[in-house]
Amino acid sequence: MNVLKWIFNFYLNSSVHVAFAALALAWVTLIELNLKFDKELLYFVFFATITGYNFVKFFGVAKFHHRSLAGWLKSIQVFSLFAFFAMSYYLFQLKLNTLICITVLGIITFFYAIPIMIPKHYLFDDHKNLRQIGGLKVYLIALIWTVTAVVLPVVNQDYEINTDVLIIGLQRLCYVLVLMLPFEIRDLNYDSLKLATIPQKIGVKKTKVIGVSLLAIFFMLDFFKDELVADTVLSTLLITSVTLLFLLFSNKNQSKYYSAFCVESLPIVWLLILLLFA
């Protein structure tokens, strides 16, 4: 039993689960736009998510405690190295315009984790990374996920950036913002006030109101697309309903797996719903 628990925790802590979620959102885009299955891009998204997330999560820990790293962290570092090599392999299978977009995402991810020089009036301290700038974290993550899940699949297949692509991008931005809210609520007991997260600024109840509003926008945007497909609308309605429940039931004292596993599973559930209808 302890072995299974260790494997499950490693699955979560090593960012494999969140990588499946990112892959799922990119796959959803391919299905919604009726694009061909892009194995190389999806594999890249998967391994790049593992590499990027583990870099952001564990950079500070490894930097200051590299001589006394716990066994689990060493395992994640080795695993992340293999993920980096796999990411690099699939990176060179992609088109030039896609590589340009990925370079921009890579720079943002780097400075999200690494302290940089920023004018002091934007910060509480002299040297901070992008994630520590008050109020920026959740929007930056949502933007990165949107570009990864919508822009990369479209650009890699030379698909026209039309109205439907822009609407899907806006939908994805709204949806990822909603997925972030249970995490923000969970971390109220731990986050520094300097982060100025949404629940810190307006409280849990108003945060959920914003989440409900974003989900309503997310669903209604389907009806502004040039090509309205019944299966897509139904899948959007279903995932909106399920996500709404997880948002409403989120609280500061939620289970350790509520957000880290259940909420992050929602993009995978969305993909499965679409594949079921396909």
Side-chain angles (χ1 to χ4, degrees), residues 12 17 179 246 257-267 269:
L12 294 179
H17 189 57
L179 292 184
F246 277 98
Y257 299 120
Y258 185 87
S259 293
F261 179 73
C262 297
V263 173
E264 281 189 347
S265 296
L266 293 175
V269 173

Short mmCIF file of all heavy atoms in Angstrom, two decimals, residues 12 17 179 246 257-267 269:
data_model
loop_
_atom_site.label_atom_id
_atom_site.label_comp_id
_atom_site.label_asym_id
_atom_site.label_seq_id
_atom_site.Cartn_x
_atom_site.Cartn_y
_atom_site.Cartn_z
N LEU A 12 2.03 12.76 -9.09
CA LEU A 12 1.57 14.14 -8.92
C LEU A 12 2.73 15.12 -8.79
O LEU A 12 2.78 16.15 -9.47
CB LEU A 12 0.67 14.25 -7.69
CG LEU A 12 -0.67 13.51 -7.74
CD1 LEU A 12 -1.43 13.71 -6.43
CD2 LEU A 12 -1.52 13.97 -8.91
N HIS A 17 0.85 14.33 -13.98
CA HIS A 17 -0.60 14.53 -14.08
C HIS A 17 -0.93 15.84 -14.77
O HIS A 17 -1.80 15.88 -15.66
CB HIS A 17 -1.21 14.49 -12.68
CG HIS A 17 -2.71 14.46 -12.67
ND1 HIS A 17 -3.43 13.49 -13.32
CD2 HIS A 17 -3.63 15.30 -12.11
CE1 HIS A 17 -4.73 13.71 -13.16
NE2 HIS A 17 -4.87 14.80 -12.44
N LEU A 179 -9.83 27.03 -13.48
CA LEU A 179 -9.13 25.89 -12.89
C LEU A 179 -8.10 26.34 -11.84
O LEU A 179 -7.80 25.60 -10.90
CB LEU A 179 -8.41 25.08 -13.97
CG LEU A 179 -9.28 24.31 -14.97
CD1 LEU A 179 -8.40 23.49 -15.91
CD2 LEU A 179 -10.28 23.41 -14.25
N PHE A 246 -16.80 21.56 -8.88
CA PHE A 246 -15.50 21.56 -8.21
C PHE A 246 -15.13 22.96 -7.72
O PHE A 246 -14.51 23.10 -6.66
CB PHE A 246 -14.42 21.02 -9.14
CG PHE A 246 -14.35 19.52 -9.16
CD1 PHE A 246 -14.96 18.79 -10.17
CD2 PHE A 246 -13.69 18.83 -8.15
CE1 PHE A 246 -14.91 17.41 -10.18
CE2 PHE A 246 -13.63 17.45 -8.15
CZ PHE A 246 -14.25 16.73 -9.17
N TYR A 257 -5.52 16.23 -2.29
CA TYR A 257 -5.66 15.74 -3.66
C TYR A 257 -6.82 16.40 -4.41
O TYR A 257 -7.02 16.13 -5.60
CB TYR A 257 -5.88 14.22 -3.65
CG TYR A 257 -4.73 13.45 -3.05
CD1 TYR A 257 -4.91 12.65 -1.93
CD2 TYR A 257 -3.45 13.53 -3.60
CE1 TYR A 257 -3.85 11.94 -1.37
CE2 TYR A 257 -2.39 12.82 -3.06
CZ TYR A 257 -2.60 12.03 -1.94
OH TYR A 257 -1.55 11.35 -1.39
N TYR A 258 -7.57 17.27 -3.73
CA TYR A 258 -8.75 17.87 -4.35
C TYR A 258 -8.36 18.68 -5.59
O TYR A 258 -8.90 18.48 -6.69
CB TYR A 258 -9.47 18.77 -3.35
CG TYR A 258 -10.78 19.34 -3.86
CD1 TYR A 258 -11.96 18.62 -3.73
CD2 TYR A 258 -10.83 20.59 -4.47
CE1 TYR A 258 -13.16 19.13 -4.20
CE2 TYR A 258 -12.02 21.11 -4.94
CZ TYR A 258 -13.19 20.38 -4.80
OH TYR A 258 -14.37 20.89 -5.26
N SER A 259 -7.42 19.61 -5.43
CA SER A 259 -6.97 20.41 -6.56
C SER A 259 -5.89 19.71 -7.37
O SER A 259 -5.96 19.63 -8.60
CB SER A 259 -6.44 21.77 -6.08
OG SER A 259 -7.47 22.56 -5.54
N ALA A 260 -4.90 19.15 -6.64
CA ALA A 260 -3.73 18.57 -7.31
C ALA A 260 -4.09 17.39 -8.21
O ALA A 260 -3.40 17.15 -9.21
CB ALA A 260 -2.70 18.14 -6.27
N PHE A 261 -5.15 16.66 -7.87
CA PHE A 261 -5.54 15.53 -8.71
C PHE A 261 -6.89 15.75 -9.37
O PHE A 261 -7.01 15.71 -10.61
CB PHE A 261 -5.57 14.23 -7.91
CG PHE A 261 -5.99 13.04 -8.74
CD1 PHE A 261 -5.12 12.50 -9.67
CD2 PHE A 261 -7.26 12.49 -8.61
CE1 PHE A 261 -5.50 11.41 -10.46
CE2 PHE A 261 -7.65 11.41 -9.40
CZ PHE A 261 -6.77 10.87 -10.32
N CYS A 262 -7.92 16.01 -8.57
CA CYS A 262 -9.29 16.09 -9.12
C CYS A 262 -9.47 17.26 -10.08
O CYS A 262 -9.94 17.09 -11.21
CB CYS A 262 -10.30 16.16 -7.98
SG CYS A 262 -10.33 14.71 -6.92
N VAL A 263 -9.12 18.46 -9.63
CA VAL A 263 -9.30 19.65 -10.49
C VAL A 263 -8.42 19.55 -11.73
O VAL A 263 -8.86 19.87 -12.84
CB VAL A 263 -9.00 20.94 -9.69
CG1 VAL A 263 -9.03 22.15 -10.61
CG2 VAL A 263 -10.02 21.11 -8.56
N GLU A 264 -7.18 19.10 -11.54
CA GLU A 264 -6.28 18.99 -12.69
C GLU A 264 -6.67 17.86 -13.63
O GLU A 264 -6.15 17.76 -14.74
CB GLU A 264 -4.83 18.83 -12.23
CG GLU A 264 -4.22 20.15 -11.79
CD GLU A 264 -2.73 20.07 -11.53
OE1 GLU A 264 -2.20 18.94 -11.46
OE2 GLU A 264 -2.10 21.12 -11.39
N SER A 265 -7.59 17.01 -13.20
CA SER A 265 -8.10 15.94 -14.08
C SER A 265 -9.17 16.44 -15.03
O SER A 265 -9.50 15.75 -16.02
CB SER A 265 -8.69 14.80 -13.24
OG SER A 265 -7.71 14.18 -12.45
N LEU A 266 -9.72 17.62 -14.79
CA LEU A 266 -10.86 18.09 -15.58
C LEU A 266 -10.55 18.25 -17.07
O LEU A 266 -11.39 17.88 -17.90
CB LEU A 266 -11.38 19.40 -14.99
CG LEU A 266 -12.03 19.26 -13.60
CD1 LEU A 266 -12.42 20.61 -13.03
CD2 LEU A 266 -13.25 18.34 -13.67
N PRO A 267 -9.38 18.77 -17.47
CA PRO A 267 -9.08 18.79 -18.91
C PRO A 267 -9.06 17.40 -19.53
O PRO A 267 -9.47 17.22 -20.68
CB PRO A 267 -7.69 19.44 -18.97
CG PRO A 267 -7.61 20.28 -17.74
CD PRO A 267 -8.34 19.49 -16.69
N VAL A 269 -10.87 14.86 -18.45
CA VAL A 269 -12.29 14.49 -18.54
C VAL A 269 -12.92 15.13 -19.78
O VAL A 269 -13.69 14.48 -20.51
CB VAL A 269 -13.04 14.93 -17.27
CG1 VAL A 269 -14.55 14.71 -17.41
CG2 VAL A 269 -12.51 14.18 -16.05
#
